[in-house]
Amino acid sequence: MSAGYPFSAIVGLADLRLALLLNAVSPGVGGVLVRGEKGTAKSTMVRALAALLPDTAAVSGCRFSCDPAAPDPACPDGPHDAAAPGETRRARLVELPVGATEDRLVGSLDLERALAEGVKAYEPGLLAAAHRGLLYVDEVNLLHDHLVDLLLDAAAMGTAHVEREGVSVRHAARFLLVGTMNPEEGELRPQLLDRFGLTVEVAASREPRERAEVVRRRLAYEADPDGFAARWAEHDAALALRIEAARALLPDVVLPDAELERVARVCAAFEVDGLRADLVTARTAIALAAWHGRTEVEASDVRQAAQLALPHRRRRNPFDAPGLDQDKLDEALRDEPEPDLPDDPDPDPEPDGPDGSGGSDRPDGPGGPGGPDQDGPGGGGPGGGPAPQETAPPEPPRNASSDAPAAEQPPPARESTAAAAAPEQPAVAASEPFRARLLAVPGLGQGAAGRRSRAETGTGRTTGDRRPSGPVARLHLVGTVRAAAPHQAARGRRGPGLVLRRDDVREAVREGREGNLVLFVVDASGSMAARARMRTVKGAVLSLLLDAYQRRDKVGLVTFRGAGAELALPPTSSVEAGAARLAALPTGGRTPLAAGLLRAHEALRVEHLRDPRRRPLLVVVTDGRATHGPDPLGAARRAAGLLAAAGNASVVVDCESGPVRLGLAARLAADLGGPVLGLADLAADGLAGLVRDLRAAG
């Protein structure tokens, strides 16, 4: 087996390197979440860290790696004899795959043996294997939320619990947790982000020499893995020794009250929720001091700790990017806050000059470079010279097909005659989003856990029972007793106990909620821009995107205008990407409704092959007009029939406004087999404000 890539040989990524080493020194920091684009050596660095971790002593034969010096009294493999022989193990690197089940993560109980034989047959999971080692979760943002909750609970509490119908097992689970993710594939919920101690953003270097060095070292490693690792072995050994020394020093590190107050001041300045940020920042600062061989935390430690512990706790809505304002951080770190400026803008005015001008002879008085009249008419320019020529106001926007200002253009003609010549309009900002009503897929699904449509899930209310097709994960006790009761006499039952057979066991059927694929098909043609409705339409779609984020959906975006349609955003878990594409969406041209529907049909077909259990919800945002092609309305109706025949659930959002309405969106909804909603009907509350926006746009 060839050697792994050495930790010391990785080029750049200084923040990630430090965050991982600090967690190796003090696992109490709470782990690291690594965010970054693909191909940035995130996984390589995490796997290389495991080789630097000190060896651990464990009780021989214990599946839970109990420490011989202090064995866990509740260990399922215990009790352990204090004189039992121990063994030395390398620190384990355990990887949690995205498709893991709850039983694979926390372990499972054999409920059939527990009922029939009265024994606790427990099979440890990955949390047990990772105890006193490193647990690595690649693509943690794609892991089901309930698994992330279990994972972070175990990391915070240091124990894992398995509960099955009154039978429970507990074991120690303390590990260094590292998760990696590509934000383009979706974000973690803020509650889950907060549970990671530190977060680091990584990106590939744009410096050619550094990129060349990365490639050079990688090629050298692939040509001779063992030889390459040997060349870096001394560097890795030095890091491993430094980790051990910092661990030994950690209990002696002191956090002075002045630095603790600095930690609290920084966290308060950035308005982070709760006190977890304060604890993590303090622990990180202590680990930093130990890493640098000091026994007292300094201000520089607090600053570096804040830069690692606070950025992901600053998000106020799902579309905010993590980050810190460096100026605000500097201000919060100051020993003494600056006093507030008085309300009087000139508390110590100069005595009036001979002409009563109030000090006009000062170098920066009126007419000087710093005076209040500097930029006004007749004001001096920089350095006291003549004022630069005043910049002319911007010209009114011009129509692409005319030299006259837009304000002088005649009113738009009917779309049937002018849509072909409608120019492309620049993207407009979305109106203020609102809380959207629930749009759900009819029927009962079996997709990924979420919060939108009814589905058969592992959690939720119990609706029935059935015979299990594999290992029993959710025992239905009443159903099991009911199945066994008629056979007790034939089985020779003589006492109060129930005679059970394997065929009697029933598992619970539970109903919860699933996440769906919400595919938006947005009309960006000239008819949307002509009535100045795009701002309101974008606000409505943005509101639905926010709703999709909260309900853990995948989203996609198809737009159509001019002569065709495009898949502006392939189905993804990143609603942030959907919001960005929506913000940059221009409008103009004819209305190729049929092309938009056919493009949506193709996108849904391809996505069904990739993820067949996730049911789609098609949201068509249009006024129902179709003006492109020889038979535009007929082609649109045929495309709608194709989508309906494929069994796709759909909702049409009618954007038509004005006193005269054609009702084309309602006809489209009938062809799709779904309901039609007006823009104002999308809001769960606050309808009055949206109606006002619609009236203003119309």
Side-chain angles (χ1 to χ4, degrees), residues 12 34 37 82 109 120 210 213 300 372 390-391 432 494 526 544 556 567 608 644 690:
V34 188
E37 58 195 20
L109 289 170
K120 289 184 180 180
E210 188 169 320
E213 182 62 22
S300 60
E390 187 172 339
T391 304
E432 191 69 22
R494 295 294 182 266
L544 292 171
L567 183 61
H608 179 72
L690 183 61

Side-chain angles (χ1 to χ4, degrees), residues 63-219:
R63 297 174 296 171
F64 302 87
S65 301
C66 279
D67 186 350
D72 181 7
C75 176
D77 283 356
H80 297 300
D81 187 353
E87 60 183 8
T88 301
R89 301 176 181 174
R90 293 291 300 157
R92 290 175 177 170
L93 169 64
V94 177
E95 299 192 33
L96 176 64
V98 171
T101 62
E102 181 178 339
D103 287 347
R104 183 75 182 100
L105 177 64
V106 300
S108 60
L109 289 170
D110 190 336
L111 294 176
E112 296 173 68
R113 289 189 63 193
L115 289 173
E117 303 173 25
V119 298
K120 289 184 180 180
Y122 175 66
E123 184 65 29
L126 295 176
L127 292 181
H131 179 48
R132 305 176 69 197
L134 190 154
L135 181 61
Y136 172 46
V137 188
D138 194 13
E139 306 292 355
V140 65
N141 52 324
L142 303 183
L143 201 65
H144 289 167
D145 281 355
H146 74 286
L147 293 183
V148 180
D149 284 328
L150 289 171
L151 180 65
L152 295 176
D153 281 341
M157 303 298 295
T159 57
H161 295 265
V162 182
E163 302 281 348
R164 292 289 187 276
E165 303 297 336
V167 180
S168 65
V169 173
R170 186 202 68 83
H171 65 81
R174 291 183 293 274
F175 45 83
L176 195 166
L177 175 64
V178 182
T180 58
M181 61 175 283
N182 183 351
E184 295 177 355
E185 296 172 341
E187 280 285 2
L188 280 171
R189 288 186 288 124
Q191 297 92 329
L192 299 180
L193 276 174
D194 183 57
R195 300 293 292 277
F196 279 95
L198 310 179
T199 295
V200 178
E201 295 276 344
V202 296
S205 172
R206 298 298 183 258
E207 171 58 43
R209 291 185 179 179
E210 188 169 320
R211 294 173 73 96
E213 182 62 22
V214 171
V215 175
R216 185 180 298 113
R217 292 187 186 183
R218 186 69 199 187
L219 292 177

Side-chain angles (χ1 to χ4, degrees), residues 382-453:
Q389 184 175 356
E390 187 172 339
T391 304
E395 295 183 2
R398 295 179 180 271
N399 189 300
S401 60
S402 171
D403 293 331
E408 300 175 9
Q409 294 293 320
R414 294 185 179 274
E415 177 161 333
S416 59
T417 60
E424 178 178 303
Q425 301 294 327
V428 297
S431 63
E432 191 69 22
F434 50 85
R435 187 166 68 90
R437 64 183 293 177
L438 173 62
L439 304 177
V441 178
L444 189 67
Q446 292 183 327
R451 299 178 59 193
R452 183 171 297 279
S453 305

Side-chain angles (χ1 to χ4, degrees), residues 129-358:
H131 179 48
R132 305 176 69 197
L134 190 154
L135 181 61
Y136 172 46
V137 188
D138 194 13
E139 306 292 355
V140 65
N141 52 324
L142 303 183
L143 201 65
H144 289 167
D145 281 355
H146 74 286
L147 293 183
V148 180
D149 284 328
L150 289 171
L151 180 65
L152 295 176
D153 281 341
M157 303 298 295
T159 57
H161 295 265
V162 182
E163 302 281 348
R164 292 289 187 276
E165 303 297 336
V167 180
S168 65
V169 173
R170 186 202 68 83
H171 65 81
R174 291 183 293 274
F175 45 83
L176 195 166
L177 175 64
V178 182
T180 58
M181 61 175 283
N182 183 351
E184 295 177 355
E185 296 172 341
E187 280 285 2
L188 280 171
R189 288 186 288 124
Q191 297 92 329
L192 299 180
L193 276 174
D194 183 57
R195 300 293 292 277
F196 279 95
L198 310 179
T199 295
V200 178
E201 295 276 344
V202 296
S205 172
R206 298 298 183 258
E207 171 58 43
R209 291 185 179 179
E210 188 169 320
R211 294 173 73 96
E213 182 62 22
V214 171
V215 175
R216 185 180 298 113
R217 292 187 186 183
R218 186 69 199 187
L219 292 177
Y221 170 76
E222 292 173 355
D224 181 11
D226 294 330
F228 184 83
R231 290 195 294 274
W232 290 92
E234 185 176 346
H235 298 276
D236 271 9
L239 277 177
L241 288 174
R242 189 174 175 185
I243 291 173
E244 288 193 65
R247 281 187 173 186
L249 183 61
L250 190 68
D252 300 326
V253 177
V254 176
L255 177 63
D257 285 344
E259 300 309 321
L260 178 57
E261 290 179 6
R262 196 188 306 272
V263 168
R265 192 162 62 244
V266 169
C267 294
F270 283 100
E271 302 177 356
V272 295
D273 296 328
L275 292 173
R276 184 177 284 119
D278 303 62
L279 288 168
V280 171
T281 305
R283 289 169 181 159
T284 306
I286 293 171
L288 272 163
W291 176 249
H292 292 298
R294 290 186 269 101
T295 57
E296 185 170 308
V297 173
E298 299 177 354
S300 60
D301 299 323
V302 175
R303 178 187 182 86
Q304 205 163 12
Q307 290 176 323
L308 293 172
L310 299 186
H312 60 299
R313 295 181 166 93
R314 283 286 300 140
R315 299 182 71 200
R316 284 293 175 259
N317 70 65
F319 302 145
D320 286 344
L324 287 182
D325 185 330
Q326 293 300 315
D327 291 338
K328 189 173 183 178
L329 177 62
D330 291 338
E331 182 179 348
L333 286 167
R334 290 195 186 102
D335 289 321
E336 293 295 336
E338 291 185 352
D340 294 336
L341 293 175
D343 294 336
D344 184 358
D346 190 13
D348 187 20
E350 291 277 341
D352 287 348
D355 57 354
S357 61

Side-chain angles (χ1 to χ4, degrees), residues 438-445 452-455 513-518 553 613-619 647-651:
L438 173 62
L439 304 177
V441 178
L444 189 67
R452 183 171 297 279
S453 305
R454 293 175 54 237
R513 294 280 174 176
E514 68 176 358
N516 298 107
L517 165 61
V518 182
D553 296 317
R613 296 183 61 193
R614 190 180 291 269
R615 297 188 295 163
L617 175 63
L618 187 69
V619 180
N648 298 303
S650 62
V651 175

